Amino acid sequence: MKKTVKGKVYDTENMKAVMKKTCGYFGDEAGYEEVLFEAEDGATFLYGKGGNASPYPKEKLTTMSAKKAEAWKSENA
């Protein structure tokens, strides 16, 4: 997924995946996965996708501050 936010391009193909969280199982309508990505310049974003009954019925990319990214990693370790 590729998205431009405030002039910066966030791209799941060209950024490093730091951590992944999976909830549910393949085919689970409420299941989803979240992947935390980090760019070389330190920019971070959370990518989510899932089933129709999940928090991510459509792919979603959310930018995060370094502080929020660290908190997400701690909560999901």
Side-chain angles (χ1 to χ4, degrees):
M1 177 180 204
K2 192 178 205 180
K3 184 176 180 180
T4 303
V5 178
K6 296 182 184 177
K8 174 147 181 68
V9 177
Y10 295 87
D11 187 354
T12 58
E13 296 292 321
N14 296 314
M15 294 175 84
K16 178 183 168 190
V18 176
M19 191 173 164
K20 182 177 183 179
K21 172 186 170 183
T22 303
C23 294
Y25 54 88
F26 183 77
D28 181 1
E29 287 293 310
Y32 63 93
E33 73 176 13
E34 295 175 321
V35 184
L36 183 66
F37 284 88
E38 186 174 283
E40 289 180 11
D41 67 0
T44 56
F45 71 88
L46 189 65
Y47 168 77
K49 70 177 180 177
N52 289 332
S54 78
Y56 303 103
K58 294 184 180 183
E59 288 181 302
K60 185 175 180 182
L61 187 150
T62 306
T63 60
M64 300 178 92
S65 67
K67 185 177 180 180
K68 283 190 178 185
E70 286 302 317
W72 186 89
K73 284 194 271 187
S74 293
E75 291 170 9
N76 294 288

